[in-house]
Amino acid sequence: MKFLFDDVAFSFQALRTAGHAAYAGADLGEVLVTCRNIPDGDEQAWYREWTALAERLHRIGDEVLASGHRVSAREALLRASNYYRTADFFRVDNRDADAESDRLARCSRQTFARAAELFDVPALRLEIPYENTTLPGYLFRADGAGDAARRLPTVIHHGGYDSTLEELYFMVAGGALRRGYHVLAFEGPGQQSVRRERGLVFRPDWEHVVGPVVDHALTRPEVDPERLVLWGTSFGGLLAARAAAFEDRLAACVLHNGIYDFYELPLRGIPPYLAEWVAEGRDDVAGPALDVSMVQSTRVRWFLRHGMWVFGAKTPPEALRACAPYNLDGTVEHVTCPTLVLDAENDVICHGEARRVHDALRCPKELMVFTDAEGAGEHCQEGAALRFHQRAFDWLDERLSPA
């Protein structure tokens, strides 16, 4: 689905940002006028215009909160958080040395944290014990959370390659809360604030990340231990499937969307000879060639530059090779809980991967395909949150019967 831009990456990211309007993370008019001022493919203009919008909403949020308008403040701050995230998206050339990227990310976290305190049931900020540190999270609590005797089904949700902890509210928690689910959202190694603040990069054995989060969830009095759901989004669909193969405390798993082999995804965007050079370790020619390739494709350039950061790689070829261990060979068939695999008809990022995951599963399973005709055919159903939540949560309701 083309949305406002010819550049595929710009179009998808604009749709992603606008789609969060379903849960107060954007306003369509703001998105339209902002994108109108951004030339196609101009990453500097993208940063400039989204930053200006985020800062304007940030100021409005501060002003109306000081005047006692809590709902207006919450709505302004939620949009500011999402727009700060969007402004930072393409700043991937050298994130470790990019002070402005750090500022945008910090502002996104801070505006969301202030908004979360203004929810009808305030979200709880968590620090989840993990090895010798902690993982950041939020517990978003549905109505009725104040009743200590009423435990509710709980979705444990993590994102993927580039989502932020705060964005998980717009992706899943907003819809879950309306339906009587708590959501424990968290970031793991390689994901935004964990990479920025703790220096931890992705690891393929994601069960060692999810296990401590499940441990923590089971200490919460609000959580029904018999109705725990693991939900992974985008690259998180692969990571969640891997974790579910080793985790027997789950009542269900949602793979949003399913990915079987992460290494194959970037290979689809580069010439075969480059892939061979990378595999053979011929970085003297592969590195310069990939740099040329990335200039021609915003999406490929972004994928590899971001990959260098999240995998701790020094060069684009290293980032590509770092993707190789991320597959479901020998694991997905060991998932035992009922599993929903989401697919998108027009998914240009991982077309065919969800069906591959579904076919490999041996547990009770369902493949749920979203189509372009219903406006939900993009990767992770971006731009169609209400339709996507209706179908996915109805599936969960039928299996968990939330009170």
Side-chain angles (χ1 to χ4, degrees):
M1 178 193 304
K2 178 182 174 181
F3 185 70
L4 303 179
F5 294 100
D6 291 324
D7 185 284
V8 173
F10 272 41
S11 173
F12 181 77
Q13 293 307 321
L15 178 65
R16 172 178 175 176
T17 296
H20 294 336
Y23 298 100
D27 214 358
L28 183 58
E30 293 170 349
V31 172
L32 292 175
V33 298
T34 299
C35 291
R36 188 174 62 194
N37 294 326
I38 302 173
D40 218 319
D42 187 333
E43 294 178 9
Q44 184 61 28
W46 178 278
Y47 150 73
R48 181 187 68 241
E49 297 300 323
W50 287 111
T51 299
L53 177 59
E55 291 178 339
R56 179 168 67 85
L57 269 294
H58 193 165
R59 289 192 298 271
I60 291 172
D62 288 345
E63 291 165 3
V64 297
L65 183 58
S67 299
H69 303 294
R70 291 171 58 86
V71 173
S72 295
R74 179 180 68 207
E75 292 176 349
L77 292 168
L78 285 174
R79 303 202 310 281
S81 176
N82 186 32
Y83 297 151
Y84 277 126
R85 178 199 61 79
T86 304
D88 182 55
F89 186 82
F90 290 108
R91 297 185 68 92
V92 291
D93 284 344
N94 187 4
R95 275 222 166 107
D96 285 332
D98 189 341
E100 178 63 1
S101 178
D102 279 345
R103 185 188 75 84
L104 294 170
R106 184 172 61 253
C107 287
S108 181
R109 292 194 300 271
Q110 291 173 347
T111 49
F112 184 88
R114 293 177 63 203
E117 294 174 352
L118 301 172
F119 287 175
D120 293 340
V121 179
L124 299 178
R125 186 63 192 260
L126 305 176
E127 292 293 337
I128 302 165
Y130 168 75
E131 296 189 346
N132 61 347
T133 184
T134 59
L135 301 177
Y138 276 105
L139 181 61
F140 300 106
R141 298 173 296 165
D143 288 343
D147 183 352
R150 186 179 181 222
R151 293 187 167 189
L152 296 177
T154 301
V155 172
I156 295 175
H157 182 212
H158 60 75
Y161 196 52
D162 60 89
S163 53
T164 68
L165 172 61
E166 294 72 26
E167 190 187 15
L168 301 184
Y169 171 76
F170 308 117
M171 285 182 169
V172 169
L177 295 173
R178 294 178 181 179
R179 293 167 170 86
Y181 292 83
H182 299 319
V183 176
L184 195 166
F186 76 95
E187 284 183 337
Q191 296 176 324
Q192 289 282 344
S193 63
V194 177
R195 175 63 181 87
R196 288 180 187 275
E197 298 176 0
R198 296 158 177 80
L200 300 181
V201 299
F202 273 118
R203 57 185 296 178
D205 52 351
W206 201 251
E207 65 273 17
H208 295 298
V209 178
V210 167
V213 179
V214 173
D215 291 343
H216 184 79
L218 293 176
T219 69
R220 304 291 316 186
E222 310 95 336
V223 172
D224 184 343
E226 301 301 318
R227 294 186 288 178
L228 278 181
V229 178
L230 180 61
W231 188 311
T233 293
S234 193
F235 180 36
L238 184 154
L239 299 174
R242 161 83 194 205
F246 297 88
E247 181 55 70
D248 61 5
R249 295 172 289 181
L250 303 174
C253 184
V254 179
L255 309 180
H256 168 223
N257 287 0
I259 297 176
Y260 189 96
D261 190 330
F262 195 64
Y263 184 51
E264 292 187 2
L265 304 188
L267 297 185
R268 299 175 185 179
I270 64 174
Y273 70 87
L274 277 181
E276 291 179 9
W277 289 350
V278 170
E280 294 168 359
R282 298 176 59 191
D283 291 9
D284 57 327
V285 288
L290 281 173
D291 279 333
V292 172
S293 170
M294 288 188 290
V295 170
Q296 298 171 356
S297 170
T298 305
R299 183 169 64 87
V300 174
R301 174 186 176 280
W302 175 86
F303 185 98
L304 293 175
R305 289 296 183 186
H306 186 70
M308 291 168 61
W309 188 61
V310 298
F311 291 122
K314 295 180 179 179
T315 66
E318 283 185 22
L320 268 179
R321 286 192 293 271
C323 298
Y326 294 85
N327 62 68
L328 297 178
D329 290 343
T331 56
V332 70
E333 60 268 28
H334 298 298
V335 177
T336 58
C337 64
T339 299
L340 175 63
V341 185
L342 305 186
D343 196 6
E345 182 182 50
N346 194 38
D347 193 334
V348 298
I349 296 173
C350 46
H351 180 73
E353 290 291 305
R355 186 169 295 278
R356 188 178 176 190
V357 174
H358 177 265
D359 290 348
L361 286 164
R362 298 292 175 263
C363 58
K365 61 186 179 179
E366 182 171 337
L367 180 67
M368 186 175 286
V369 181
F370 292 82
T371 66
D372 192 53
E374 62 185 328
E378 300 304 309
H379 178 64
C380 290
Q381 296 73 50
E382 296 291 4
L386 299 180
R387 174 62 171 153
F388 142 53
H389 286 169
Q390 174 246 307
R391 294 185 67 192
F393 282 109
D394 288 358
W395 183 91
L396 278 178
D397 286 350
E398 292 166 5
R399 283 148 186 83
L400 303 183
S401 300

